[in-house]
Amino acid sequence: MAVKIRLKRFGKIRAPYYRIVVMDSRTRRDGRAIEEIGKYHPTEEPSFIEVNSERAQYWLSVGAQPTEQVHAILKITGDWQKFKGEPGAEGTLKTKQPKESFVTPQKGSVIIPEAITPKKDAAEAPADAAETTEVAADSAEAPADEKSE
């Protein structure tokens, strides 16, 4: 029996994702698999690739032949180099960066208007009241000075 390591397609039209499976070469593309050894999602950025390295090494060692696409995936993960005993067994797989956590914006930001900002402390309120009375007193004195001249 000729055993192949190939892709089994899932997903909707124009939104494929695949499982990396070990199958008899005579079965149809999405038919029954002997074993599932990984996943491949090409539409994500960067592409999601997950391979059970131990099982891939086993199947390659007993003679399973990878298809061209799976061969390229195994080279990216480093499993092919490990199997052949070549340097570069760590692979070139790029992983997705974790999403940045949300940070609340600073006071005075465009996102949060000042009208919605939290109320000021009680200790700050009397200081503001004193400033407003001083400003009012200054404005009352200014017209009086103009009249005396």
Side-chain angles (χ1 to χ4, degrees), residues 41-104:
H41 299 260
T43 55
E44 293 183 14
E45 188 58 43
S47 296
F48 174 77
I49 299 173
E50 179 183 281
V51 177
N52 183 343
S53 183
E54 182 180 311
R55 296 307 296 165
Q57 294 300 318
Y58 168 76
W59 282 107
L60 289 169
S61 68
V62 295
Q65 295 297 311
T67 61
E68 287 182 33
Q69 298 88 352
V70 174
H71 184 262
I73 290 171
L74 292 175
K75 277 189 171 184
I76 290 170
T77 59
D79 291 320
W80 185 255
Q81 291 90 326
K82 187 189 273 186
F83 170 67
K84 289 291 187 180
E86 298 172 355
E90 63 276 348
T92 59
L93 182 64
K94 296 178 185 172
T95 57
K96 194 173 196 177
Q97 297 297 325
K99 203 172 186 181
E100 292 182 22
S101 60
F102 179 74
V103 178
T104 56

Side-chain angles (χ1 to χ4, degrees), residues 118-133:
K119 294 181 181 180
K120 296 180 180 177
D121 294 339
E124 294 178 10
D128 291 341
E131 290 175 10
T132 55
T133 55

